[in-house]
């Protein structure tokens, strides 16, 4: 009883494990150093238990006394360093010289009957044969899972190779099509270029010929005028009156000059014809309905489809309590039962329903901030890796929105997009698989979009949630709304 109480006192409230590099906040609460730093990165600098802010500029200091207690707990009774060798048929305890007939599960070594009285008195023990049978069953199960994973990986590899081949063929066809289109366009442009230049040259030749004719007419008139002037000058110098009178009455002036004939040259007409030709050529690349293999235009799916969802009790973390016909989940300090296959080791729970096609909308009401809403592929891990208490959006197979007290964070593939804080009590999620859009909404005090993920969703998506201790999430139901298809299949841990 005392050992159990001591273990509870030395347990981190974030990771629920024994303290690692413990630190103490000004409020007096202790946490693992890595756990509290990760918590502050996601939820702001405040104590997760009492919400007292951590002073700006202050530094975390290691709890020396608590670290010393943990060293004593971890060390336990003095024993030989290194793992114990496996017991053979005549293996004896190196401490007491008696046959090693038992296995201490707490320390992970073979022990004798004397060890069970002294060092392992409060430890969990089992007979060697029973422990071997248990380990053999575990290894066989692990081997079966490994073989299944290998088969799955081989299938995925074949599918990947098939997709790569299809992409290569599609790229070659597309490149050939584009090259042909541009070749046709260049050829047509070259032909129209030659024709346009020829048209300009013909128009220029015609107008210049007209100009030459007009120039010859004007020069002829100038010459006639000059000759007439010279003849008049000669008559004026004639001294013989009879000759002057006879020749002057025979002198005829040149005819009238007449107006200048305008040249038929219109730049706008030339450019207008060229623009019309180029306009017709611009459709060459887009004729025949676009590029080969172009996807059809998306169909208008109409208004959002509201979905009534339920939490999956099999997936719920052992600290989660489900109620109201699996519409509500609460994170409690007290465990609701032991771990079992399919249950999240993380503080998470997913829905019973999943989506593979169509347009879906659902709403969630949260009791407070420090919750995460999202969707994931079936392979989202159930196991805990590192100090994090959630994995929504931390990999490529999930998308999530973390609601904090002063801000929001949109998570995917380990990358976070920080957003302004809003009221996170009533939230809506709109999943449009046809267009590849996942949109989060805040519904109070007014409806406003928070963030939209764009992705090519190629596997079934299941709603998944994370919530801090003491928080409650409720899936909102509407009368007459449709329940989506039943439990998802193929969930991998």
């Amino acid at each position: 009883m005392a050992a159990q109480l001591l273990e509870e006192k030395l347990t981190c409230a974030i990771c629920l494990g024994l303290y690692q590099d413990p630190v103490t906040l000004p409020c007096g609460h202790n946490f693992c150093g890595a756990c509290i730093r990760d918590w502050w990165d996601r939820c702001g600098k405040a104590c997760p238990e009492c919400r007292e802010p951590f002073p700006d500029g202050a530094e975390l200091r290691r709890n020396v006394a608590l670290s010393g207690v943990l060293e004593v707990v971890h060390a336990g009774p003095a024993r030989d360093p290194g793992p114990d060798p496996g017991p053979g048929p005549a293996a004896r305890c190196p401490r007491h010289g008696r046959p090693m007939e038992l296995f201490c599960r707490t320390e992970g070594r073979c022990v004798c009957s004397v060890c069970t009285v002294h060092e392992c008195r409060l430890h969990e023990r089992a007979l060697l044969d029973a422990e071997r049978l248990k380990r053999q069953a575990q290894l066989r199960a692990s081997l079966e899972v490994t073989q299944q994973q290998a088969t799955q990986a081989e299938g995925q590899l074949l599918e990947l190779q098939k997709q790569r081949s299809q992409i290569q063929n599609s790229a070659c066809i597309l490149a050939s099509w584009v090259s042909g289109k541009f070749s046709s366009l260049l050829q047509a442009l070259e032909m129209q270029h030659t024709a346009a230049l020829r048209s300009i040259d013909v128009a220029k030749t015609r107008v210049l010929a007209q100009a030459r004719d007009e120039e010859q007419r004007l020069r002829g008139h100038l010459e006639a005028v000059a000759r007439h002037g010279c003849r008049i000058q000669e008559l004026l110098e004639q001294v013989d009156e009879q000759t002057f009178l006879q020749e002057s009455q025979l002198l005829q002036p040149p005819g009238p000059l007449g107006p200048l004939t305008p040249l038929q040259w219109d730049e706008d007409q030339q450019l207008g014809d060229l623009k019309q030709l180029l306009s017709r050529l611009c459709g060459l690349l887009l004729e025949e309905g676009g590029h080969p293999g172009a996807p059809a235009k998306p169909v208008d799916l109409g208004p959002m489809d509201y979905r009534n969802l339920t939490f999956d009790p099999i997936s719920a973390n052992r600290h989660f309590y489900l109620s109201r016909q699996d519409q509500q989940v609460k994170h409690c300090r007290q465990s609701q039962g032991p771990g079992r296959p399919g249950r999240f080791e993380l503080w998470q729970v997913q829905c019973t329903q999943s989506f593979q096609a169509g347009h879906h909308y659902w709403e969630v009401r949260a009791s407070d901030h420090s919750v995460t809403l999202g969707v994931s592929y079936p392979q989202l891990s159930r196991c805990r890796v590192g100090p994090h208490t959630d994995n929504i959006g931390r990999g490529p197979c999930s998308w999530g929105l973390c609601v904090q007290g002063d801000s929001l964070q949109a998570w995917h593939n380990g990358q976070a997009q920080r957003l302004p804080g809003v009221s996170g009590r009533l939230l809506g999620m709109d999943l449009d698989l046809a267009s590849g859009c996942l949109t989060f909404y805040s519904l109070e005090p007014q409806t406003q979009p928070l963030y939209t993920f764009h992705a090519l969703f190629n596997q079934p998506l299941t709603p998944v949630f994370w919530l801090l201790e003491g928080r409650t999430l409720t899936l909102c139901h509407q009368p007459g709304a449709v329940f989506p298809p039943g439990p998802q299949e193929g969930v991998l841990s």
Side-chain angles (χ1 to χ4, degrees):
M1 186 68 180
Q4 182 178 1
L5 180 61
L6 177 61
E7 183 176 353
E8 291 180 357
K9 294 297 183 181
L10 298 179
T11 299
C12 174
I14 297 178
C15 66
L16 303 182
L18 292 179
Y19 290 121
Q20 300 290 331
D21 188 21
V23 296
T24 303
L25 302 188
C27 60
H29 291 114
N30 301 305
F31 304 95
C32 298
C35 292
I36 190 62
R37 290 184 181 92
D38 175 70
W39 176 268
W40 285 350
D41 288 342
R42 297 185 297 104
C43 303
K45 279 197 171 184
C47 176
E49 294 198 20
C50 66
R51 301 290 183 263
E52 179 177 332
F54 189 76
D56 292 337
E59 296 182 358
L60 285 173
R61 295 189 177 274
R62 182 168 176 264
N63 190 320
V64 179
L66 193 56
S67 298
V69 174
L70 287 167
E71 290 177 359
V72 173
V73 171
H74 285 303
R79 57 178 183 267
D80 295 337
D84 292 338
R92 292 183 175 273
C93 179
R95 298 180 182 82
H96 310 105
R98 301 181 65 86
M100 291 190 287
E101 303 169 340
L102 302 171
F103 183 79
C104 178
R105 292 176 175 171
T106 304
E107 296 188 6
R109 64 186 181 91
C110 299
V111 296
C112 67
S113 57
V114 178
C115 293
T116 62
V117 177
H118 296 88
E119 294 90 343
C120 305
R121 182 170 58 87
L122 299 178
H123 295 175
E124 183 181 0
R125 303 180 298 274
L127 293 175
L128 291 182
D129 292 343
E131 185 65 21
R132 179 181 178 87
L133 291 175
K134 177 183 176 182
R135 297 292 180 90
Q136 286 177 339
Q138 292 175 346
L139 290 176
R140 290 190 182 98
S142 177
L143 178 61
E144 183 178 354
V145 172
T146 302
Q147 291 173 345
Q148 292 176 354
Q149 292 176 349
T151 302
Q152 182 183 11
E154 290 174 355
Q156 292 179 355
L157 180 60
L158 291 176
E159 179 64 22
L160 179 62
Q161 293 173 346
K162 179 181 177 182
Q163 292 179 4
R164 183 176 62 182
S165 177
Q166 291 174 347
I167 291 173
Q168 289 175 343
N169 293 335
S170 176
C172 291
I173 294 173
L174 188 60
S176 176
W177 180 86
V178 170
S179 298
K181 285 297 179 182
F182 272 99
S183 177
S184 300
L185 179 62
L186 291 173
Q187 183 179 3
L189 285 173
E190 185 63 30
M191 293 173 59
Q192 295 302 331
H193 177 216
T194 304
L197 294 180
R198 186 184 303 113
S199 175
I200 294 174
D201 189 62
V202 169
K204 178 191 71 172
T205 302
R206 183 181 65 253
V207 174
L208 292 181
Q210 179 186 359
R212 284 193 299 268
D213 294 341
E214 191 69 9
E215 182 181 2
Q216 290 176 2
R217 182 181 71 84
L218 293 174
R219 289 187 182 277
H221 187 77
L222 286 174
E223 291 175 359
V225 171
R227 288 194 299 270
H228 183 68
C230 292
R231 184 57 183 161
I232 291 175
Q233 189 65 34
E234 291 175 355
L235 290 176
L236 291 176
E237 295 176 356
Q238 181 61 249
V239 295
D240 184 47
E241 285 80 358
Q242 183 178 357
T243 303
F244 173 80
L245 294 174
Q246 289 178 349
E247 292 184 3
S248 63
Q249 65 182 2
L250 297 176
L251 183 66
Q252 296 294 330
L257 176 62
L260 181 66
T261 303
L263 301 179
Q264 301 299 318
W265 177 256
D266 188 351
E267 290 183 354
D268 291 338
Q269 181 180 359
Q270 297 295 326
L271 292 178
D273 294 341
L274 182 60
K275 290 177 181 178
Q276 186 176 4
L277 290 172
L278 292 177
S279 178
R280 289 199 300 266
L281 290 174
C282 288
L284 278 176
L285 284 177
L286 300 178
E287 67 182 9
E288 301 173 3
H291 66 81
K297 293 183 179 180
V299 180
D300 186 5
L301 297 178
M304 293 181 297
D305 295 320
Y306 195 99
R307 303 301 186 193
N308 290 335
L309 304 181
T310 55
F311 291 113
D312 178 18
I314 298 178
S315 69
N317 178 275
R318 62 192 185 95
H319 289 274
F320 285 5
Y321 175 77
L322 270 60
S323 60
R324 293 178 54 181
Q325 297 180 344
D326 296 336
Q327 288 181 235
Q328 188 175 87
V329 60
K330 182 176 182 179
H331 186 166
C332 306
R333 174 178 288 272
Q334 184 178 0
S335 172
Q336 305 299 314
R340 57 172 178 261
R343 169 172 280 183
F344 278 108
E345 294 181 6
L346 304 151
W347 294 348
Q348 293 177 186
V349 62
Q350 68 180 25
C351 284
T352 305
Q353 298 78 18
S354 62
F355 311 107
Q356 191 163 10
H359 196 176
H360 312 277
Y361 174 79
W362 61 96
E363 295 177 356
V364 179
R365 181 172 291 279
S367 62
D368 204 345
H369 59 78
S370 299
V371 297
T372 300
L373 293 73
V375 295
S376 74
Y377 287 154
Q379 62 265 33
L380 183 68
S381 177
R382 300 290 196 272
C383 301
R384 178 174 183 164
V385 179
H388 304 298
T389 59
D390 77 297
N391 62 357
I392 303 175
R394 295 189 180 272
C397 66
S398 59
W399 296 258
L401 183 76
C402 180
V403 181
Q404 302 173 0
D406 58 347
S407 67
L408 305 172
Q409 288 185 355
W411 279 87
H412 175 60
N413 204 17
Q415 301 295 323
Q417 176 69 39
R418 193 174 182 87
L419 309 169
V422 296
S423 173
R425 299 299 179 91
L426 183 59
L427 299 164
M429 296 179 64
D430 176 35
L431 176 61
D432 189 348
L433 292 163
S435 61
C437 295
L438 172 64
T439 303
F440 295 86
Y441 293 90
S442 173
L443 306 177
E444 291 179 345
Q446 59 185 6
T447 301
Q448 59 174 319
L450 301 177
Y451 192 81
T452 298
F453 288 103
H454 298 276
L456 180 61
F457 300 118
N458 53 17
Q459 297 184 47
L461 288 171
T462 304
V464 61
F465 308 89
W466 172 90
L467 55 156
L468 187 65
E469 180 182 334
R471 305 300 192 264
T472 300
L473 283 178
T474 304
L475 293 168
C476 302
H477 281 198
Q478 286 191 1
V482 179
F483 275 88
Q488 66 283 352
E489 298 178 356
V491 174
L492 301 177
S493 60

